[in-house]
Amino acid sequence: MMKAAVLGEFGKPLIIEDIPIPEPQAGEVLVEVLASGVCHSDLHIIDGDLPGFRARTKARVVPGHEVVGTVLRCGEGVTALRDGDRIGVPWLYRACGQCEQCREGLENLCRKGSAVTGMSVDGGYAQFMCANADYAVRIPDVLGDAQAAPLLCAGVTSYRALRKAQVAAGQRVAVFGVGGLGHLAVQIARAMGAEVFALDVSDDKLAFAREVGADHALNAADPAALALLRQQGGAHVTAVTSAAHVAYDAAMSVLRPGGTLCVIGLPAEPLRFQALALAGTEAHIIGSAVGTREDLRAVLDLAARGAIRCRVETRPLSAVNEVFDAMRRGAIHGRVVLDPRA
């Protein structure tokens, strides 16, 4: 048996209980969990506030999709991994590999046979879990367990959004929301050579943005700050990691003509933009659905080279509900990682 945090009912605290250690099936490996990041997507899964997530969440699921662990045993047919390998288990548990999206290199958009770690299959809020050997990635030796875990979702999501927006050296990138994803987006944009504007409504988070390398830290609720960004020509790219509607409104208001707005944060209600604002500026709006295995390896390589570093706080698995309460209050700077061994 093992300790795990189980979703018993949407909108209720997770239940810490003993459940059986899973057995790896063909193509899977059994993993001892060393670190499991806490993501805002987990909160959406637990609260059941996004219909698309709610419909795909299996009964009594163990959440957690930013997992670093050690392979203990390989299931039938596994040849790419061996016992003792340290791997990362990301959001995308598997894809079909055969649909149009998979054949085009967009496995993260697979709709035919995809499964999501911690939603449609059990995840890493536990002492042990099973992982799909083909979709796990090796963790570079220079990265610690807790440091690597958030890169498997927060890091790769920010990276993919900025890569798809084709951020180039010398461009102005505005990151709205300096939390778990936002502070990584600031560093990734800097690594791409951009001039980075970090925007938030919290003075503490603006100070945090400066610490991680933002060139400018502006209060997103201050009209004068937004006007200053527009006076400098506007942002080539705005990356919204906040789930607040007002963040999207502000991001659109500072976008330069021909610029790109990246949808990363997930408000529960639909976004609305004026058609004239889009047509008149030929603005682009793109989404970012976590990332592919190629994206994962790229962001792990950035971290291994020291270009990005996640601000992490480690808590025991037993504190998971306290962590979500803090997340709901917006009281977390950086990322929280659970240690099921503590």
Side-chain angles (χ1 to χ4, degrees), residues 95-221:
C96 75
Q98 300 174 354
C99 67
E100 285 187 9
Q101 286 72 30
C102 286
R103 293 199 305 271
E104 293 168 1
L106 300 172
E107 63 190 19
N108 58 314
L109 302 182
C110 174
R111 294 294 186 268
K112 184 177 179 181
S114 64
V116 173
T117 307
M119 183 162 73
S120 47
V121 298
D122 286 336
Y125 289 3
Q127 293 175 310
F128 304 92
M129 67 175 293
C130 287
N132 187 305
D134 288 337
Y135 287 83
V137 293
R138 283 189 172 84
I139 302 298
D141 292 340
V142 297
L143 295 179
D145 303 328
Q147 182 61 218
L151 301 177
L152 299 168
C153 181
V156 74
T157 300
S158 297
Y159 171 82
R160 183 173 179 81
L162 294 171
R163 184 177 69 80
K164 287 182 63 183
Q166 299 181 339
V167 171
Q171 289 186 335
R172 294 178 294 275
V173 173
V175 177
F176 284 79
V178 189
L181 278 79
H183 88 289
L184 290 170
V186 165
Q187 296 175 71
I188 293 167
R190 283 272 293 179
M192 292 175 170
E195 180 183 3
V196 182
F197 294 76
L199 296 100
D200 207 296
V201 296
S202 162
D203 289 339
D204 288 345
K205 290 188 176 182
L206 292 177
F208 178 38
R210 295 186 189 95
E211 289 177 21
V212 298
D215 297 292
H216 313 275
L218 306 175
N219 191 314

Side-chain angles (χ1 to χ4, degrees), residues 254-275:
V254 301
L255 197 65
R256 75 191 289 270
T260 300
L261 184 151
C262 303
V263 177
I264 303 173
L266 302 176
E269 298 299 322
L271 298 173
R272 292 183 174 86
F273 301 108
Q274 292 292 335

Side-chain angles (χ1 to χ4, degrees), residues 283-294:
H284 304 265
I285 298 178
I286 63 170
S288 177
V290 196
T292 65
R293 286 168 286 183
E294 179 183 353

Side-chain angles (χ1 to χ4, degrees), residues 222-249:
D222 181 0
L226 300 179
L228 177 64
L229 181 49
R230 286 192 292 269
Q231 289 165 10
Q232 295 192 28
H236 294 79
V237 175
T238 56
V240 185
T241 65
S242 168
H245 275 264
V246 291
Y248 279 96
D249 295 338

